[in-house]
């Protein structure tokens, strides 16, 4: 058997236990936390609002108006997105200075401090501590949402790169589902226990702190950023379950040479540098479009709207919490399916196909709501089916592929800054949709999902036209495809000056 074929078989056989455990350890305290904290806040909504009003009454002797309670509640919810935005901005410098693994470990400080505020807020009679805690937990999620996919993309072998990076979305969905289960009234979703529910996010963080130090750092970071070839080889051997593949080392050494050459000509290491580099125009445009669309498509708002739909379907109010768990289960199922498909059908098919399906379901959903208002039987159940189908379509493509893109289409010097841009746009878009969606429901009524239809359709068309398939491609091959779009023709052997 030829050496190359034997090495490839070796690589495929080494679905290394170390790699799998590294993924689990990083993700349980990473994107799992984003999904978990996104969902656990829904169950205790009424209890927290009562706590806000009671606390204010104890201080001033008069109760808050309903609108003021709603305003404070909005601050609690929005603090998570604002913290996420700050976390996304911190992620780039942290990834460069501390490394991928150490950044994830250090990131737990924000989580533990936030959890402590959750635990003490009732004793201190302070709803302000909840706002601060949500802000700190948001920082934790913002950092992990950027650094974890970077860590995975740099640690996985090429034939598993998409599936490993896609696991970030799978753990997000698992976090959402777990948060919904823990928030049940039979678990922690009760008035005496709601602060323990909010602080329960410390447990996954503790698991990460106890396990992640035992696993290797990103080989690419060790070689390219730190210049430590021996540490890179050791990490690669552990992640591949044996001898470091020579072809993979050769590819990383070539990237290291590109990185070394680019440092002398001004490497694109800051977001501003990325915007100024004409060689990265289409890469940056693709990442910005995909990251914005992921939140502007309204998937998180669909989660919030699900309870109303289930109520309209005549499901008893005390059973709605169980039906809502189905939304988290839908995305979890889709993420598992996507993990199996991403290396078979490719990134572009899943990304464009997901948005195309979502645009179709939003139209069916609008029609079902309109007919439901006119008294047609069975329409609430069709609306319910659309909720699940919309979330399934989102989990099938956009939820996972979006996080893979910066790791695949930018080089080592540009990757942290690209994740800063992508993460900032994601959190800004989440904040925007969260603030305007209630007004959309009130103003547009049955047609409230039409803006999301426009976003999904436009995203499917534009990404279908501009995004080249990256499945199984090396960084040099991906760069060559984008060079054509950027109008850049390189001479043989010419090195890249910017990054990407």
């Amino acid at each position: 058997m030829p050496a190359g074929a034997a090495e490839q078989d070796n690589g495929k056989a080494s679905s290394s236990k170390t790699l799998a455990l590294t993924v689990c350890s990083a993700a349980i305290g990473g994107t799992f936390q984003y999904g978990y904290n996104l969902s656990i806040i829904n169950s205790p909504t009424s209890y927290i609002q009562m706590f806000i009003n009671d606390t204010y009454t104890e201080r001033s002797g008069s109760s808050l108006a309903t609108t003021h309670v709603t305003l404070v509640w909005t601050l609690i919810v929005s603090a998570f997105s604002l913290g996420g935005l700050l976390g996304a901005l911190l992620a780039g410098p942290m990834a460069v200075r501390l490394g991928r693994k150490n950044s994830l470990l250090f990131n737990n400080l924000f989580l533990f401090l936030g959890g402590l505020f959750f635990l003490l807020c009732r004793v201190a009679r302070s709803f302000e501590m909840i706002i601060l805690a949500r802000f700190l937990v948001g920082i934790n999620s913002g950092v992990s949402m950027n650094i974890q996919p970077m860590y995975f993309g740099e640690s996985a072998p090429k034939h598993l790169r998409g599936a490993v990076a896609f696991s970030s979305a799978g753990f997000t969905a698992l976090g959402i589902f777990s948060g919904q289960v823990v928030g049940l009234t039979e678990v922690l979703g009760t008035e005496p226990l709601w602060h323990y529910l909010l602080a329960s996010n410390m447990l996954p963080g503790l698991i990460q702190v106890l396990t992640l130090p035992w696993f290797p750092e990103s080989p690419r970071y060790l070689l390219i950023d730190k210049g430590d070839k021996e540490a890179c080889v050791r990490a690669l051997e552990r992640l591949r379950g044996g001898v470091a593949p020579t072809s993979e080392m050769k590819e990383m050494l070539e990237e290291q040479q590109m990185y070394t050459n680019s440092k002398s000509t001004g490497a694109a290491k800051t977001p501003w540098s990325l915007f100024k580099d004409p060689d990265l125009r289409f890469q940056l445009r693709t990442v910005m479009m995909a990251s914005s669309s992921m939140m502007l498509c309204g998937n998180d708002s669909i989660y919030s709207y699900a309870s109303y739909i289930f109520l309209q379907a005549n499901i008893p109010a005390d059973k709605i919490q169980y039906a809502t768990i189905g939304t988290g289960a839908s995305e979890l199922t889709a993420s598992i399916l996507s993990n199996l498909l991403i290396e078979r059908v490719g990134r572009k098919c899943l990304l464009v196909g997901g948005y195309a399906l979502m645009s179709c379901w939003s139209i069916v959903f609008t029609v079902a709501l309109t007919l439901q208002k006119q008294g047609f039987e069975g329409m609430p159940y069709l609306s319910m089916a659309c909720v699940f189908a919309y979330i399934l379509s989102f989990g099938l493509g956009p939820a996972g592929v979006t996080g893979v893109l910066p790791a695949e289409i930018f080089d080592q010097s540009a990757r942290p800054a690209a994740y800063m841009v992508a993460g900032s746009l994601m959190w800004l878009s989440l904040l925007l949709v969260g603030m305007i969606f209630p007004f959309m429901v009130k103003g547009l009524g049955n047609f409230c999902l039409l803006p999301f239809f426009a976003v999904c359709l436009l995203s499917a068309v534009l990404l279908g036209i501009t995004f080249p398939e990256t499945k199984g491609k090396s960084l040099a091959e991906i760069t060559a495809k984008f060079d054509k779009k950027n109008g850049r023709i390189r001479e043989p052997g010419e090195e890249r000056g910017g990054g990407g």
Side-chain angles (χ1 to χ4, degrees):
M1 181 182 289
E7 183 179 293
Q8 186 176 15
D9 289 343
N10 230 359
K12 289 185 179 179
S14 71
S15 302
S16 164
K17 184 186 295 185
T18 301
L19 177 61
L21 292 174
T22 301
V23 167
C24 292
S25 177
I28 196 67
T31 51
F32 177 91
Q33 291 282 18
Y34 168 71
Y36 191 76
N37 287 292
L38 195 65
S39 62
I40 59 172
I41 197 67
N42 295 323
S43 175
T45 297
S46 59
Y47 305 135
I48 296 175
Q49 290 179 345
M50 283 192 299
F51 174 72
I52 293 168
N53 197 29
D54 292 345
T55 302
Y56 183 83
T57 302
E58 290 176 11
R59 294 177 185 175
S60 64
S62 60
S63 61
L64 276 172
T66 303
T67 53
H68 292 160
V69 173
T70 303
L71 177 61
V72 176
W73 172 248
T74 303
L75 287 174
I76 291 173
V77 175
S78 301
F80 182 67
S81 299
L82 292 172
L85 176 60
L86 178 58
L89 295 174
L90 291 173
M94 285 176 64
V96 173
R97 296 187 183 185
L98 301 179
R100 287 33 166 172
K101 184 181 79 170
N102 288 335
S103 292
L104 290 173
L105 288 169
F106 178 83
N107 189 35
N108 284 291
L109 289 177
F110 300 113
L111 180 76
F112 293 142
L113 188 57
L116 186 62
F117 284 142
F118 281 136
L119 286 175
L120 297 177
C121 67
R122 294 187 77 161
V123 175
R125 305 303 294 170
S126 171
F127 57 80
E128 294 87 353
M129 292 177 71
I130 304 177
I131 299 174
L132 181 57
R134 287 285 291 176
F135 181 75
L136 290 169
V137 168
I139 294 176
N140 173 269
S141 294
V143 170
S144 63
M145 288 281 284
N146 279 10
I147 294 181
Q148 182 186 305
M150 199 187 311
Y151 182 33
F152 288 177
E154 293 174 1
S155 300
K158 186 161 60 176
H159 69 279
L160 291 176
R161 188 177 59 203
V164 169
F166 214 122
S167 64
S168 295
F171 275 91
T172 299
L174 180 61
I176 290 172
F177 179 73
S178 300
Q180 290 171 337
V181 172
V182 175
L184 291 172
T185 52
E186 292 87 348
V187 190
L188 294 178
T190 60
E191 198 282 328
L193 299 177
W194 62 262
H195 58 304
Y196 293 114
L197 170 62
L198 297 182
S200 63
N201 56 18
M202 289 195 290
L203 180 58
L206 181 62
I207 293 173
Q208 183 181 80
V209 167
L210 294 176
T211 58
L212 191 57
W214 300 97
F215 298 110
E217 176 60 273
S218 155
R220 272 184 159 78
Y221 172 78
L222 292 171
L223 177 66
I224 300 172
D225 285 279
K226 304 297 288 184
D228 192 340
K229 185 177 178 181
E230 291 183 4
C232 169
V233 171
R234 288 196 300 270
L236 202 57
E237 287 175 346
R238 289 191 63 197
L239 289 167
R240 301 298 176 264
V243 179
T246 54
S247 60
E248 197 168 351
M249 277 301 303
K250 180 182 177 182
E251 182 185 332
M252 283 194 285
L253 287 169
E254 289 174 354
E255 188 176 346
Q256 182 192 34
Q257 185 61 46
M258 291 168 60
Y259 176 66
T260 303
N261 292 342
S262 70
K263 285 176 73 174
S264 61
T265 57
K269 285 193 173 181
T270 67
W272 182 241
S273 300
L274 296 185
F275 283 106
K276 292 195 300 182
D277 190 344
D279 287 350
L280 298 175
R281 184 173 61 248
F282 262 90
Q283 288 95 315
L284 191 60
R285 187 181 301 172
T286 299
V287 165
M288 291 174 66
M289 188 189 314
S291 300
S292 301
S293 300
M294 182 178 173
M295 293 304 178
L296 292 176
C297 71
N299 184 71
D300 292 329
S301 299
I302 288 288
Y303 276 113
S304 302
Y305 206 55
S307 295
Y308 167 77
I309 299 300
F310 298 146
L311 193 62
Q312 294 299 305
N314 296 321
I315 295 177
D318 60 334
K319 302 297 183 185
I320 287 179
Q321 59 175 339
Y322 305 108
T324 304
I325 290 177
T327 59
S330 295
E331 188 165 338
L332 179 58
T333 301
S335 67
I336 294 171
L337 180 61
S338 295
N339 248 338
L340 301 175
L341 292 176
I342 189 168
E343 294 300 346
R344 295 175 181 269
V345 303
R347 285 68 157 151
K348 184 172 183 176
C349 180
L350 289 178
L351 188 63
V352 174
Y355 279 122
L357 286 172
M358 290 168 72
S359 62
C360 293
W361 293 122
S362 60
I363 289 295
V364 177
F365 186 74
T366 301
V367 171
L369 283 180
T370 303
L371 295 178
Q372 181 178 316
K373 292 291 185 181
Q374 297 176 6
F376 281 78
E377 293 185 4
M379 289 302 106
Y381 296 99
L382 178 58
S383 299
M384 266 202 309
C386 287
V387 170
F388 291 121
Y390 196 93
I391 292 172
L392 278 166
S393 302
F394 176 78
L396 192 63
V401 176
T402 306
V404 178
L405 297 185
E408 290 199 332
I409 67 179
F410 287 95
D411 73 1
Q412 196 79 5
S413 64
R415 199 170 290 135
Y419 268 106
M420 287 174 67
V421 173
S424 299
L425 286 172
M426 285 172 59
W427 286 100
L428 282 171
S429 300
L430 178 63
L431 179 62
L432 176 65
V433 173
M435 291 176 64
I436 68 172
F437 186 69
F439 299 100
M440 287 170 54
V441 173
K442 185 177 180 180
L444 298 178
N446 299 339
F447 304 99
C448 62
L449 290 191
L450 289 185
F452 299 142
F453 161 76
V455 170
C456 293
L457 183 61
L458 188 62
S459 300
V461 172
L462 292 180
L463 288 170
I465 294 172
T466 63
F467 177 50
E469 181 56 68
T470 60
K471 180 188 74 169
K473 301 289 192 301
S474 68
L475 179 65
E477 292 170 324
I478 295 169
T479 297
K481 289 190 174 186
F482 275 107
D483 282 341
K484 293 180 181 179
K485 293 179 178 291
N486 288 319
R488 179 81 158 92
I489 302 176
R490 300 183 189 281
E491 297 298 328
E494 180 185 356
E495 298 291 355
R496 211 182 158 75

